Amino acid sequence: MLNRRLYLQAWLVAIVALLVAFLTLEPPPEDVEPDGVATFTANDAVKSAVDFGTLAPRRAAGTPDAKTAADWVAQRFGELPDTNQGARVATQNFTARRGGVQVPLTNVLFTQRAVGEPKSARNILIVGPRDTPPGIAGGASSTAILIEVARTTAKIKYRHPLVFLSVDGTAVGNAGMRWYLNSVERSRIAGVIVLDAPAQGTGQTLSLWSAGAGRQALALRQLAEQSVRSAGFVPSTVPALRTQLVRLAVPETRGDQRAAIDAGVPAVTIAGRNEGVLGADAAEPDRQRYDAAGTATLDLINRLDAIERANAPDAALAYAGKILRPAVGRLALLLLALPLLVMALDAAARVRRARVRLSVGLRAVAWRFAPPLVILLLAHMLTRWGVLPAPTLGRPPLPGELTFGTRALLVIALLAIVSFLLWMWVRPRVNATGVNPPAEAAGALVWLGAITLVAWWLSPFALVLILPAAHAALAATVAPRRWQVVALAALAIAAPIAVVFTIASDIDRNPLFAVWYLCETSVSGARGLVGPILAVLVGVCVWSLSTLVAFRARKGLVRRGTGMRLARTPPVASSDPVE
């Protein structure tokens, strides 16, 4: 069913256009020089961290220790210079649902008025997560550095008001950060700096997190990199292009910067670990790391104060030290889909010329959509009924809350049985359409082209996962050698495997658990509904294309050997392969 010449011509056009697109790579924005010199003394921060960690070592949201920690932070903010009898200290009390239970949460804020000239109406927001995952004793440096930075900045004249926010519920779907953002006018935030246990760990590297769901704050990240270097430390490198694409397609970041970036607010997290769930402090406080984290934070505040507002987050990509703008990246993804779309149109036209009804193939594939979609709905309802863990405020639960045990095995067995029964119900209906493998493959290709366009419109980075499988399945329909079919099958699963290993690294678990974690959080709705539905539809289309590969193998058209030439096959006919 593949018109080899037309397919290669479409790829040639796409590659030339891609090369032109990559010529538009832009240098990163010019660096911003801070107005002042950042000086931070770590001794007080270390003492505060020790006191805070001793008072409330495990601060899981909703526990008595979490309440004690909130009171302690409010007291320390109230002791800072020129607080106007506490008028600039405020709290936000709210609740969030986790596991079917309402959890009480408290944000604590400290505001410093703008003193420098000319004054700005926008705030610079400095955030310190206060809670910890259940059972974890760590993260005290977030609060300690937040308080000491607030103490230091009280002596400096800034053009922007500074808001120091000690958030609760970071481990509960970033509840505290999301609550705050919903309570203010987000357009009046110049930038957000999140301190997520920045003094944790060892060495002289500070990690920077700048990703959200489908967007990144690369411009603010660049300023943060300069600030970390000015503090004498090394910033973590921007993830490779492949990793950026995977994380934008399947977001897993848990830092509070995601809540801000998703809301269109520029944000970056300074952390002492790679992006992932907070772990226990494994070493004694390192004064050098406290000093570097505090100095970098002050320097970044100075840089933000020198401009009106950091660039808004967008879908730009970093590559080779340059920036690929969002519109160009979106166009590049569509160009990669161009050969597939051309083949879908060509297949529809050739089927019509052969006087074969395309609706037969489309209807057969549509019947195949039914079982996995029903299974997806059933799995989703099991999470709603509490059989499987539900999302936490629409976000994936912590990996520690998602165990793979007897209940998970029973659910998998139930879904397998239901899948078999559904297939037995659907199979005769597919056969009743009178479709043969070539006609079904043509219908699947047309469906795949339409699904690809919808995915590009709704979630462009989903094409990172769709296109390798789609192109591999399409090429396999004319592959004359078995080794070529095997190689194309490996290409088809390459993107899902990359996602599994990236998620496994982010959640600090093995790949097998990452597969379960991805499946459960997808069917629960924690990753939205569009992605899982697209995955099901694409998977069915690829399966239908593979039936033509099996059909050709039974006909002896796929042989052993090392020949490279693609087979030429006759035109479409109702009873012959669609070649």
Side-chain angles (χ1 to χ4, degrees):
M1 62 178 292
L2 179 65
N3 184 331
R4 183 179 62 171
R5 178 176 297 177
L6 184 60
Y7 186 63
L8 294 177
Q9 288 174 346
W11 266 117
L12 179 62
V13 172
I15 290 172
V16 171
L18 280 171
L19 291 175
V20 174
F22 271 87
L23 291 176
T24 67
L25 282 169
E26 302 176 2
E30 294 184 2
D31 188 26
V32 176
E33 289 299 326
D35 287 339
V37 178
T39 56
F40 182 84
T41 303
N43 291 338
D44 290 339
V46 171
K47 183 179 183 304
S48 293
V50 172
D51 292 345
F52 185 57
T54 302
L55 178 70
R58 294 175 176 83
R59 303 173 297 281
T63 62
D65 272 1
K67 178 65 168 61
T68 300
D71 293 340
W72 186 88
V73 171
Q75 180 181 351
R76 292 298 178 271
F77 277 158
E79 295 171 355
L80 295 179
D82 189 25
T83 61
N84 193 20
Q85 288 75 47
R88 292 188 292 160
V89 180
T91 58
Q92 292 179 326
N93 297 306
F94 56 101
T95 61
R97 181 178 291 275
R98 180 178 63 184
V101 178
Q102 290 290 345
V103 180
L105 302 170
T106 302
N107 287 343
V108 184
L109 302 87
F110 175 72
T111 304
Q112 291 180 0
R113 296 182 297 271
V115 179
E117 296 291 344
K119 291 182 174 63
S120 172
R122 290 190 169 96
N123 301 323
I124 297 175
L125 182 62
I126 305 95
V127 180
R130 193 177 62 250
D131 65 307
T132 62
I136 297 296
S141 65
S142 302
T143 299
I145 294 175
L146 180 75
I147 292 172
E148 294 309 316
V149 168
R151 188 189 309 279
T152 303
T153 55
K155 308 169 187 176
I156 304 173
K157 296 181 178 181
Y158 288 103
R159 296 191 310 106
H160 292 75
L162 305 184
V163 178
F164 294 86
L165 175 63
S166 176
V167 292
D168 202 357
T170 293
V172 188
N174 308 111
M177 188 66 178
R178 292 163 70 181
W179 181 273
Y180 175 81
L181 291 171
N182 287 331
S183 68
V184 299
E185 187 179 340
R186 295 190 287 270
S187 63
R188 295 186 61 182
I189 300 177
V192 179
I193 307 168
V194 181
L195 305 173
D196 197 321
Q200 190 180 57
T202 58
Q204 293 193 330
T205 299
L206 287 175
S207 295
L208 300 176
W209 310 345
S210 56
R215 287 188 283 187
Q216 303 186 94
L218 292 177
L220 183 53
R221 181 193 177 100
Q222 180 191 355
L223 297 183
E225 289 176 351
Q226 296 298 327
S227 295
V228 171
R229 292 190 185 98
S230 72
F233 266 45
V234 179
S236 60
T237 57
V238 177
L241 181 61
R242 176 189 65 83
T243 303
Q244 291 179 67
L245 290 170
V246 169
R247 286 179 173 166
L248 289 169
V250 187
E252 184 53 38
T253 177
R254 295 182 181 277
D256 280 311
Q257 91 284 343
R258 174 178 174 174
I261 290 173
D262 290 353
V265 178
V268 66
T269 292
I270 302 175
R273 66 187 188 284
N274 292 331
E275 198 159 355
V277 180
L278 177 70
D281 289 333
E284 292 295 319
D286 184 337
R287 282 176 169 76
Q288 187 180 20
R289 291 189 65 82
Y290 274 83
D291 183 71
T295 301
T297 303
L298 286 170
D299 185 84
L300 186 52
I301 293 173
N302 290 340
R303 291 175 190 270
L304 283 173
D305 194 57
I307 58 179
E308 180 59 23
R309 186 177 191 261
N311 292 347
D314 55 27
L317 297 166
Y319 177 71
K322 294 187 177 181
I323 303 297
L324 186 67
R325 303 312 308 170
V328 179
R330 190 181 180 101
L331 177 61
L333 290 169
L334 182 60
L335 288 171
L336 290 173
L338 177 63
L340 176 68
L341 300 176
V342 170
M343 288 299 97
L345 293 174
D346 179 67
R350 297 178 72 187
V351 166
R352 183 180 179 86
R353 289 197 301 269
R355 300 182 183 277
V356 177
R357 289 188 302 167
L358 181 61
S359 61
V360 174
L362 294 174
R363 191 164 62 251
V365 178
W367 273 114
R368 292 190 187 274
F369 287 149
L373 287 175
V374 172
I375 291 300
L376 181 63
L377 176 61
L378 176 58
H380 179 71
M381 295 310 298
L382 290 175
T383 64
R384 298 290 298 269
W385 296 332
V387 179
L388 293 174
T392 303
L393 296 183
R395 300 280 174 82
L398 296 175
E401 298 173 355
L402 188 61
T403 57
F404 185 84
T406 303
R407 180 178 294 187
L409 289 173
L410 291 175
V411 168
I412 292 174
L414 171 64
L415 295 177
I417 293 172
V418 175
S419 299
F420 175 76
L421 295 175
L422 286 170
W423 171 240
M424 295 302 294
W425 178 75
V426 165
R427 185 176 182 181
R429 286 160 176 79
V430 174
N431 294 335
T433 63
V435 71
N436 58 14
E440 181 179 343
L445 183 55
V446 173
W447 272 114
L448 191 55
I451 293 166
T452 299
L453 281 177
V454 172
W456 177 78
W457 181 261
L458 296 177
S459 179
F461 291 106
L463 266 60
V464 174
L465 308 181
I466 293 174
L467 292 179
H471 283 298
L474 181 58
T477 60
V478 293
R481 305 294 178 183
R482 291 184 182 179
W483 72 266
Q484 294 172 341
V485 174
V486 172
L488 290 168
L491 174 62
I493 63 174
I497 289 176
V499 171
V500 167
F501 278 90
T502 300
I503 296 296
S505 174
D506 289 343
I507 65 177
D508 194 23
R509 295 291 194 278
N510 62 64
L512 290 178
F513 181 85
V515 171
W516 163 247
Y517 179 79
L518 273 169
C519 291
E520 201 285 336
T521 55
S522 296
V523 301
S524 70
R527 300 182 184 278
L529 296 177
V530 173
I533 292 174
L534 288 175
V536 165
L537 299 181
V538 170
V540 170
C541 291
V542 170
W543 175 267
S544 291
L545 285 169
S546 70
T547 62
L548 178 57
V549 179
F551 176 79
R552 296 181 71 251
R554 290 195 301 270
K555 291 287 187 179
L557 298 176
V558 180
R559 302 180 298 277
R560 297 179 183 274
T562 58
M564 296 294 293
R565 189 175 64 87
L566 296 180
R568 291 185 178 273
T569 49
V572 176
S574 61
S575 58
D576 293 323
V578 182
E579 299 286 359

